[in-house]
Amino acid sequence: MKRILVTGGAGFVGSHLCERLLNEGNEVICLDNYFTGRKSKVVHLMDNPYFEVVRHDVTIPYFIEVDEIYNLACPASPVHYQHNPIKTIKTSVMGAINMLGLAKRIGAKVLQASTSEVYGDPEMHPQPEHYWGHVNPIGIRSCYDEGKRCAESLFVNYHESNDVKVKIIRIFNTYGPKMEPDDGRVVSNFINQALQGQDITIFGDGTQTRSFQYVDDLVDGMIRMMATGDDFIGPVNIGNPVEFTMLELAQNVIELTGSSSKIIHMPLPSDDPTQRQPDIRLAKEKLNGWEPKIPLREGLVDTIAYFDELMKTASIHKLMNV
Ligand code: NAD
Ligand code: UDP
């Protein structure tokens, strides 16, 4: 049995990861400051004696004896990470320093949840890991993009200067059950708008693309990356290479929900990347043949069912005044 720390463990991806690590027979410590996470995402795990939840902020050092650390703490939705940009940078940079310092002290392996945002608005398509990116260092997304880029630099330098066992994954847009309905990301927005018969808000003309990965495929890639030998540190792209325009996503959501919602267009936020698609050849080679298994429509069906249920429970609570 390994003891594993998951920072950001009460968030969307972290809660799925905690559950999977527990199911595989590990002891899991979920650390979170609940900025965008919720206890309700992990409450069903709390009966398990091998699961612990700690309220803590990664910008402050934390000491514990563990074998592995998954560093996920950081808001991921543009709405949330732009809410307090300085805090977002502190979370990425000081969080990385604190988790790397901990890993160095106790000899643990530490995995950084980096992002496709390190490629910015890419001029190379699809994006391989050797592409350096095209990021506006003073734009509205820079608190996240540059924070994550600095964290990657810290991970590589702690590895090279201090022999810390590190792993870096670059995650592309991921969706699935347990996303927050109001976190502003496109999949949760479109599904919730469709389920409520509201207008579907496409920013810009909807020709910008993203490649959407179902959360189970990501968790599988993360665990495989952690299990690789010490000589492979990444970075490695973890994403689904099938690319969609936002118009195509909206049409799929409307069809699968049977909604009568109409599509409306709203202004495109600044620095919004025009295209994004991972090159996953390195992941396939290094992660034992890993590749995403869940196609978009299949993942959307599960995600729609989750939000539908959430909405019903919320309206029952409203009716019962609880
Ligand atoms: P999320 O917002 O649901 O989860 C982030 C978690 O980190 C939340 O539980 C939040 O409360 C916690 N957190 C934030 N700041 C913290 C701090 N200072 N101290 C302790 N906890 C803190 O986001 P997510 O989608 O689950 O993303 C998880 C990780 O994966 C993030 O690091 C994100 O950058 C990365 N990532 C996600 C995606 C995606 O599409 N979901 C894409 C690329 C990268
Ligand atoms: N987007 C949209 N409507 C929304 C929310 C987002 O058209 O209601 C667009 C957004 O402008 C971007 C894409 O969808 O082009 C993905 O946005 P998201 O915030 O999910 O992720 P990111 O931009 O970080 O990839």
Side-chain angles (χ1 to χ4, degrees):
M1 180 184 267
K2 279 183 285 192
R3 190 181 300 150
I4 302 175
L5 175 65
V6 179
T7 78
F12 158 52
V13 176
S15 56
H16 284 275
L17 178 65
C18 287
E19 183 162 352
R20 168 84 184 266
L21 292 170
L22 277 173
N23 287 343
E24 290 186 355
N26 300 293
E27 188 175 346
V28 175
I29 295 100
C30 161
L31 178 155
D32 210 292
N33 72 347
Y34 303 115
F35 174 48
T36 50
R38 280 173 192 268
K39 264 189 206 157
S40 59
K41 292 200 209 301
V42 289
V43 73
H44 63 295
L45 307 175
M46 287 181 184
D47 283 345
N48 188 325
Y50 296 107
F51 184 64
E52 280 171 59
V53 183
V54 181
R55 182 188 290 265
H56 187 81
D57 193 305
V58 286
T59 59
I60 297 161
Y62 180 71
F63 299 107
I64 188 170
E65 291 279 336
V66 289
D67 304 295
E68 294 175 353
I69 304 165
Y70 287 85
N71 188 34
L72 273 62
C74 185
S77 147
V79 174
H80 288 143
Y81 70 64
Q82 286 162 21
H83 170 74
N84 185 345
I86 297 169
K87 176 71 190 203
T88 300
I89 299 176
K90 283 186 179 170
T91 295
S92 272
V93 176
M94 293 164 71
I97 292 172
N98 289 331
M99 288 307 128
L100 286 160
L102 173 64
K104 178 181 166 191
R105 189 177 168 138
I106 59 178
K109 240 196 259 187
V110 56
L111 178 145
Q112 169 67 358
S114 189
T115 168
S116 55
E117 287 284 323
V118 301
Y119 301 123
D121 191 2
E123 291 159 316
M124 190 172 184
H125 197 70
Q127 295 82 55
E129 290 82 355
H130 61 77
Y131 174 54
W132 291 354
H134 179 226
V135 173
N136 175 359
I138 54 169
I140 55 168
R141 297 172 88 100
S142 66
C143 58
Y144 184 73
D145 301 7
E146 298 292 12
K148 290 282 189 178
R149 284 165 71 98
C150 182
E152 285 200 13
S153 170
L154 285 162
F155 267 68
V156 168
N157 284 301
Y158 265 77
H159 174 69
E160 280 172 9
S161 309
N162 293 305
D163 272 340
V164 177
K165 292 176 224 150
V166 305
K167 307 277 171 195
I168 302 167
I169 57 166
R170 292 183 179 153
I171 304 170
F172 282 66
N173 295 64
T174 303
Y175 70 98
K178 295 199 198 166
M179 291 180 91
E180 282 298 300
D182 61 351
D183 87 351
R185 282 183 274 195
V186 68
V187 174
S188 44
N189 270 11
F190 285 3
I191 293 178
N192 284 286
Q193 289 162 345
L195 288 175
Q196 293 174 66
Q198 295 168 355
D199 292 338
I200 305 241
T201 53
I202 291 194
F203 299 164
D205 63 6
T207 56
Q208 72 270 37
T209 68
R210 295 292 186 273
S211 305
F212 296 104
Q213 159 174 248
Y214 190 66
V215 64
D216 290 357
D217 285 327
L218 167 61
V219 168
D220 192 36
M222 290 176 121
I223 290 174
R224 286 182 192 224
M225 179 59 173
M226 188 62 108
T228 55
D230 291 346
D231 55 331
F232 181 61
I233 68 166
V236 62
N237 291 335
I238 306 282
N240 190 323
V242 185
E243 193 180 0
F244 292 87
T245 65
M246 294 312 100
L247 267 172
E248 287 168 336
L249 176 68
Q251 282 151 358
N252 272 291
V253 169
I254 290 174
E255 200 184 308
L256 291 170
T257 50
S259 172
S260 54
S261 290
K262 289 182 190 53
I263 289 176
I264 58 162
H265 292 267
M266 294 179 67
L268 188 69
S270 65
D271 294 337
D272 199 279
T274 47
Q275 53 183 4
R276 217 183 269 139
Q277 184 192 30
D279 178 333
I280 59 164
R281 281 175 294 179
L282 184 66
K284 278 187 187 168
E285 181 199 326
K286 298 286 187 182
L287 308 183
N288 216 3
W290 172 88
E291 61 182 327
K293 293 199 178 76
I294 317 282
L296 181 67
R297 284 176 71 90
E298 193 179 323
L300 283 178
V301 168
D302 280 2
T303 314
I304 290 166
Y306 169 78
F307 282 123
D308 198 25
E309 188 57 39
L310 202 67
M311 232 166 261
K312 281 183 195 139
T313 320
S315 33
I316 290 167
H317 283 175
K318 211 169 165 190
L319 277 175
M320 293 166 65
N321 217 7
V322 289

